Amino acid sequence: MARKRRKRRADRTPSPSGQRTVAVNRRARRDYEVLDTLTAGIELRGSEIKSIRNGSASLAQGFVSVEEGEAYLRDVHIARYKPAAQANHDPDRPRRLLLHRAEIDLLAGHVNAKGRTAIPLRLFLARGWAKLEIGLVRGLRRYDNREKIRAREAARQIARYVR
C-alpha cells in the first residue's frame, strides 16, 4: 500500500518560533544605525492581510510617524488582492500601529529628536497576526559606511593570514 505524501511548501512553513517573515527592509541596516527595536501590531483591512499572507508587501520607503497620540506606518506598499475586486484597499494608505501608550510616547520622543527616525525593519506573521518590527534608528554618514567597509576588509585579511 502506497503512503500518501503530503506536500509542504517552503514559503508557507513557519519557523520553530511560530513566525513567518513576509518582508524585510534590507537597506535599513546598511543606511541606518539601529539603536532599539519595537514590535507592533498593524490595523489592517481584510484584503490587506490576505495580500500579506501571499507575500505581497514592500517596506522599502516606509517610515513611522506619530500624530495626535497615534502611531502610523506610512509609505509601505501592500499590493492589491486580486480576488477582492471592488472591495479592495488603497495600496499606499497610512496604517495605524497597535502599541501601548508608553511605547507610543517612546516612539514620539525618538522621532522628534534631531537626526533620528523610526523605520520598519521586518514584517512577519506570528500565529496568524501581522506584526511589524520597528527600528529606532539614526542615519549613517558616508564616512561611517567607509569605516565599516575598512573594518570588514581588515578582518578578511587577518583571516587570510591566519589560514
Side-chain angles (χ1 to χ4, degrees), residues 84-138:
Q86 294 172 353
N88 233 318
H89 62 276
D90 176 22
D92 297 316
R93 76 176 185 89
R95 293 163 182 92
R96 192 165 70 103
L97 295 176
L98 307 174
L99 292 164
H100 292 284
R101 174 62 45 205
E103 292 173 324
I104 292 173
D105 293 340
L106 170 77
L107 196 61
H110 184 83
V111 169
N112 292 334
K114 186 176 183 206
R116 296 186 181 188
T117 189
I119 59 170
L121 297 176
R122 181 173 72 110
L123 178 64
F124 61 97
L125 294 169
R127 297 188 313 260
W129 297 93
K131 302 283 185 178
L132 185 73
E133 186 178 353
I134 302 166
L136 305 177
V137 299
R138 177 175 49 216

Side-chain angles (χ1 to χ4, degrees), residues 3-76:
R3 284 181 14 178
K4 286 186 179 180
R5 287 215 250 147
R6 217 168 78 187
K7 279 189 176 179
R8 197 166 204 193
R9 289 181 50 186
D11 59 326
R12 296 240 181 215
T13 57
S15 68
S17 64
Q19 295 180 357
R20 181 171 67 98
T21 301
V22 176
V24 177
N25 190 348
R26 294 192 325 229
R27 292 192 60 174
R29 297 198 190 269
R30 190 186 78 200
D31 294 343
Y32 300 97
E33 176 187 359
V34 179
L35 305 172
D36 198 10
T37 60
L38 292 172
T39 301
I42 312 171
E43 188 177 275
L44 297 170
R45 301 213 169 106
S47 59
E48 288 175 324
I49 188 65
K50 289 181 178 197
S51 185
I52 286 173
R53 286 186 180 134
N54 281 343
S56 303
S58 171
L59 304 175
Q61 300 297 319
F63 66 96
V64 177
S65 66
V66 179
E67 298 160 11
E68 299 173 9
E70 296 286 339
Y72 291 95
L73 178 63
R74 300 199 176 273
D75 291 347
V76 168

